Amino acid sequence: MGGGIALNDVTVEEKSEFNRYMITLSLENRKIRLGNSLINDQNLRTFISSLTFPVYHVRQFDDLSIPFRAMATDIVNGKEVILESGSLAFAMRASISIPGVFSAVPYDETLLVDGGVLNNFPVDVAKAMGADIIIGSDVGGNMLPKEELESLSSLMFQAGMLNSYLKNPESRALCDILVDHVPNLTYSTSDFVKSETMMQEGKIGVLKNKDALVALSERLKNFEQRTHEIPDDVDKVAFDTIIFNGISKGNRSLVRERTNLKPDTLYTLQDLKAGIDRTMGTARYTQVNSGFENDCESLALEVNGLEHSRHQFKGSLHYDTDNGVGLVMNYTGLNVLGTSSRTLVTLDVAERPKFRLQHQASFGPQKVWWWRAELLGQQQKEKVFVLGEYVDDLKYQYGVFDNQLNLNLNSLVNYVGFGVKYEHTALRPTVDPDVNDNFFQLDRYRFNNLEIYGQYRHNSMDKVFFATQGTFLRGYLGRSLYSHVDLKYSLDAAEPVKGRTNGFSKLGLDYEVRLPISPKSSVILGAASHFLFQDNLEDSDVSILDFGLGAKYILGGNITNPRYDTRPFPGLNQKELIVNQYVGLSLGTQVNLFRKVFLTPHVNMASVGFGSFEDYTEDFFNPTGDWETGSETSFVMSAGSTLSYNSILGPVNFDLSWVNGTNNLRVFLGVGFHFN
């Protein structure tokens, strides 16, 4: 229950950056800060809110069927805080804010943490409420002896609980019946899955006090018995107004629209939860919770948010057998360049460096429209393969300036949009051809393309990595407005190629669905089809099919490349296969073997074409070529398995795959969060 939100609760414009980094730092008051808790407790807050929903209207805890108090600690002033009114969900959450584990809770210009820091066994509070008889159940433990204070964590815990430990003997003495569990405990506060053990150990202390408890029960039969009624279930609730707390001006309109909650409308608990989830899905808050504030005349829904810092610094390490070691560094600015906006600067410091500059902003009455401008650049040394064998290295440069305008059809699931992008692709040998000739006898290759496109995206996956259910769908239709090739060979005898290409269009569709078949396994089904359609070749045109390398589709590798027309294909080396057309299918099964270890057997197949669309369709059902030669319509297939571990550094993937046309197995190892 301590985790954050799932991917399918994140707004579509934020999914690409969600959970992509190992560490996040914030800049606040000119100081770099790490998060103040180990666990994102958003799900825990939602769970507590659901439990207390039937008594949302109760403000005084004495008015509950059983009077209640919650203990918290004012960590700023070092005082006990007894919560006896207000939001029951808030009081419960504040009282369990274990320092360092869960974040502190803002309260009246101060911060509240776990009440156990100062008073872990608050018998005196029960006495003050008027309790005549107190049955105390002590699970707090005792101070550790010197020989057990051997670790930093044990020293810090004992120091933090020192005041509570010193007060404990006094509290125990106030009990009429003390059920002492301390001698029997073998678990700790972190043992969330040992419920059966806890119950059995709890019975030991109760049975030791059986006689006293039975005697008390018999004595109380002589008194009038108070009845306690379980609150009636509340199906729906309507409120008169909505109050946003902790929501800055730059985010207010976006949050108001994303919650999609209106006064004077009946809502279920699930409706309210969905509104809070959509607010969290904007990726602008570390926590969001809701509650009700009522008086004699009106009921108000309070939405309380704790915002991320406007300036965040993120980072991750990565390694893979294709790209080597790299360090991804990111700056994220929220509302720095306008309201409801996000600005990114991302660098991949590696042997094959990459960078991304991106700015996006939501606008319109319902904030369903959003604009994104992006500048992406890559500089790599690529291995070149012929007939499945490595033959040479080429320096590869790719850059794109992309502007797109999108409309959310569903803010959490899908959007449609159009855009204009300018692409630049350059190849050159790693060694000066005047010094040493290369396999392709290449001096330089440059391709520039201006393209307009329309797109549709749907993403309901539940996780970024190791998703167990959901659907991904991407459709793309592009039209080249202008494209130009500049090709020069190192041999004087070969004529250079330079000029505008014939026009072309691109149509693509990618689909993946994950279907759970058991609590720990899912079936993965995928399909893809991408086509390049050329216009008639004019006398002055350069053939896009012959020389338009920068416009073609690239298959190979195990890692998703940020370039749109590059697709993973396990078993093939990264960017090994360059095609004009392809239709592919994939089938896999993801099995969670134990804890964070996964096994994913997979089969991938594709029909690929190297000529025109017409040639491809003629031979689609009878591919007679060899994909290694890159000349005729061919069939490529790979089969293998990936062993994965979901580590703190990011996914660790070891893949072993076979591909037709080769005589050996291909091995891939990847670690960490890669530049995406």
Side-chain angles (χ1 to χ4, degrees):
M1 292 190 300
I5 60 174
L7 178 63
N8 49 13
D9 288 326
V10 177
T11 57
V12 290
E13 64 267 33
E14 298 293 338
K15 289 183 187 288
S16 61
E17 286 292 302
F18 182 68
N19 279 356
R20 293 286 184 176
Y21 300 96
M22 182 177 66
I23 188 172
T24 298
L25 304 173
S26 299
L27 179 63
E28 299 177 7
N29 299 321
R30 299 182 179 181
K31 296 181 179 179
I32 299 293
R33 301 181 184 273
L34 188 63
N36 60 5
S37 63
L38 293 176
I39 298 176
N40 186 322
D41 64 339
Q42 181 62 31
N43 287 349
L44 177 61
R45 292 170 179 271
T46 302
F47 179 70
I48 294 175
S49 295
S50 67
L51 291 178
T52 59
F53 185 64
V55 292
Y56 71 88
H57 57 284
V58 177
R59 308 307 299 170
Q60 299 295 326
F61 297 165
D62 281 341
D63 294 337
L64 295 168
S65 179
I66 300 176
F68 173 76
R69 297 291 186 272
M71 290 296 304
T73 301
D74 179 347
I75 197 65
V76 176
N77 301 300
K79 299 179 179 179
E80 292 184 17
V81 177
I82 303 173
L83 299 170
E84 57 186 20
S85 64
S87 166
L88 181 59
F90 174 88
M92 293 171 62
R93 171 60 185 83
S95 70
I96 61 169
S97 299
I98 303 172
V101 179
F102 297 120
S103 59
V105 177
Y107 177 76
D108 287 350
E109 305 300 323
T110 189
L111 295 172
L112 300 183
V113 298
D114 193 339
V117 172
L118 294 180
N119 192 355
N120 198 41
F121 196 40
V123 182
D124 55 334
V125 177
K127 283 285 189 183
M129 292 175 64
D132 297 313
I133 300 171
I134 293 181
I135 303 172
S137 179
D138 188 7
V139 296
N142 296 314
M143 296 179 66
L144 296 175
K146 176 183 176 181
E147 54 271 17
E148 296 185 27
L149 295 173
E150 298 178 343
S151 64
L152 178 62
S153 59
S154 62
L155 284 168
M156 292 181 63
F157 187 83
Q158 182 133 313
M161 296 289 292
L162 187 60
N163 284 328
S164 186
Y165 284 148
L166 294 175
K167 187 176 181 178
N168 199 53
E170 176 186 339
S171 299
R172 289 164 65 98
L174 292 175
C175 296
D176 297 282
I177 298 176
L178 175 65
V179 182
D180 188 7
H181 298 286
V182 176
N184 312 313
L185 302 183
T186 62
Y187 61 87
S188 69
T189 54
S190 61
D191 294 324
F192 297 109
V193 296
K194 295 184 178 180
S195 58
E196 290 295 328
T197 301
M198 295 178 189
M199 292 177 62
Q200 294 303 318
E201 292 178 357
K203 289 181 180 180
I204 298 174
V206 173
L207 291 174
K208 289 182 178 180
N209 291 271
K210 181 179 178 180
D211 292 341
L213 291 170
V214 171
L216 177 61
S217 174
E218 292 297 324
R219 184 159 61 93
L220 293 179
K221 289 180 180 180
N222 299 319
F223 296 86
E224 181 181 356
Q225 302 299 302
R226 180 178 177 179
T227 58
H228 302 291
E229 298 180 356
I230 298 175
D232 295 331
D233 286 336
V234 178
D235 296 327
K236 295 182 178 181
V237 63
F239 46 87
D240 302 292
T241 185
I242 182 169
I243 302 171
F244 293 97
N245 298 319
I247 312 295
S248 66
K249 181 180 179 181
N251 290 328
R252 197 167 298 153
S253 59
L254 180 65
V255 170
R256 184 179 292 110
E257 295 303 326
R258 287 292 185 267
T259 56
N260 196 29
L261 301 173
K262 310 294 182 184
D264 303 319
T265 304
L266 287 171
Y267 293 106
T268 66
L269 174 62
Q270 291 304 314
D271 294 332
L272 297 175
K273 179 182 179 301
I276 297 302
D277 287 346
R278 287 192 296 270
T279 303
M280 280 293 294
T282 63
R284 295 168 185 269
Y285 297 89
T286 60
Q287 56 186 246
V288 179
N289 61 79
S290 64
F292 291 94
E293 182 69 41
N294 66 318
D295 52 35
C296 297
E297 298 181 353
S298 64
L299 178 68
L301 174 68
E302 290 187 326
V303 177
N304 307 299
L306 183 60
E307 294 186 338
H308 284 298
S309 169
R310 293 182 68 200
H311 307 284
Q312 300 171 50
F313 299 90
K314 306 175 184 181
S316 60
L317 297 169
H318 65 86
Y319 165 81
D320 67 84
T321 48
D322 292 324
N323 300 284
V325 179
L327 169 65
V328 180
M329 298 182 295
N330 168 269
Y331 163 78
T332 299
L334 300 177
N335 303 326
V336 174
L337 300 177
T339 61
S340 304
S341 71
R342 186 200 69 188
T343 305
L344 300 178
V345 180
T346 309
L347 302 174
D348 189 3
V349 183
E351 181 182 353
R352 302 179 179 186
K354 308 176 187 70
F355 76 90
R356 173 185 285 111
L357 306 177
Q358 186 186 95
H359 179 75
Q360 69 180 36
S362 300
F363 61 93
Q366 286 79 43
K367 301 295 181 182
V368 295
W369 289 93
W370 52 283
W371 164 69
R372 174 184 289 173
E374 178 179 272
L375 179 63
L376 170 70
Q378 300 175 263
Q379 181 170 301
Q380 301 175 294
K381 185 176 75 171
E382 294 291 348
K383 293 182 177 180
V384 181
F385 298 85
V386 174
L387 300 178
E389 300 294 332
Y390 165 66
V391 296
D392 206 347
D393 292 318
L394 289 176
K395 291 183 179 179
Y396 166 85
Q397 292 179 334
Y398 174 77
V400 59
F401 180 58
D402 185 15
N403 275 274
Q404 55 183 257
L405 180 65
N406 300 300
L407 171 65
N408 290 346
L409 304 177
N410 181 309
S411 64
L412 299 180
V413 179
N414 51 19
Y415 67 90
V416 63
F418 68 92
V420 178
K421 65 181 180 181
Y422 174 78
E423 297 176 287
H424 171 76
T425 302
L427 297 174
R428 57 189 176 93
T430 56
V431 180
D432 190 330
D434 294 333
V435 177
N436 187 23
D437 205 359
N438 55 88
F439 182 85
F440 294 97
Q441 300 176 342
L442 178 69
D443 182 79
R444 68 172 183 268
Y445 171 87
R446 296 170 184 162
F447 177 82
N448 300 303
N449 179 49
L450 179 64
E451 186 172 316
I452 186 170
Y453 65 89
Q455 65 177 344
Y456 170 82
R457 293 204 182 194
H458 174 106
N459 189 344
S460 61
M461 294 290 184
D462 60 342
K463 299 176 185 178
V464 177
F465 306 105
F466 310 112
T468 58
Q469 60 183 351
T471 302
F472 176 83
L473 177 65
R474 171 171 52 193
Y476 182 93
L477 176 62
R479 174 65 190 177
S480 174
L481 302 177
Y482 171 84
S483 58
H484 187 275
V485 169
D486 182 4
L487 170 63
K488 184 177 183 298
Y489 295 99
S490 59
L491 293 179
D492 295 336
E495 291 291 330
V497 178
K498 187 174 184 179
R500 182 167 180 169
T501 75
N502 53 326
F504 63 91
S505 302
K506 301 177 79 170
L507 176 64
L509 184 68
D510 295 285
Y511 174 79
E512 182 181 308
V513 61
R514 298 196 174 211
L515 304 170
I517 55 177
S518 77
K520 289 196 172 187
S521 61
S522 300
V523 171
I524 306 171
L525 301 173
S529 58
H530 290 264
F531 308 106
L532 189 154
F533 306 91
Q534 68 167 343
D535 295 350
N536 292 330
L537 189 65
E538 303 293 338
D539 292 338
S540 60
D541 291 340
V542 176
S543 171
I544 188 68
L545 296 184
D546 293 335
F547 300 103
L549 176 67
K552 301 187 177 189
Y553 302 105
I554 305 172
L555 305 181
N558 294 66
I559 298 174
T560 300
N561 192 285
R563 183 172 171 174
Y564 169 77
D565 50 13
T566 301
R567 293 290 178 270
F569 198 101
L572 293 178
N573 295 292
Q574 180 174 272
K575 299 180 182 177
E576 182 173 355
L577 188 57
I578 301 173
V579 301
N580 297 329
Q581 337 282 342
Y582 76 92
V583 174
L585 296 172
S586 61
L587 173 64
T589 303
Q590 178 180 276
V591 181
N592 186 190
L593 298 178
F594 54 91
R595 295 181 63 86
K596 298 181 178 182
V597 179
F598 299 83
L599 182 67
T600 309
H602 56 81
V603 177
N604 306 273
M605 60 193 75
S607 171
V608 297
F610 304 93
S612 67
F613 177 75
E614 293 76 15
D615 293 338
Y616 179 70
T617 54
E618 287 180 5
D619 299 328
F620 178 80
F621 294 102
N622 186 32
T624 58
D626 296 321
W627 64 266
E628 308 98 302
T629 63
S631 58
E632 298 178 1
T633 301
S634 309
F635 177 75
V636 57
M637 173 182 174
S638 70
S641 187
T642 305
L643 183 65
S644 307
Y645 175 66
N646 192 13
S647 76
I648 190 172
L649 296 176
V652 179
N653 296 312
F654 176 79
D655 183 83
L656 189 64
S657 294
W658 165 89
V659 63
N660 68 318
T662 64
N663 297 319
N664 55 355
L665 294 172
R666 303 281 183 83
V667 178
F668 170 83
L669 175 63
V671 181
F673 300 95
H674 295 79
F675 185 98
N676 68 296

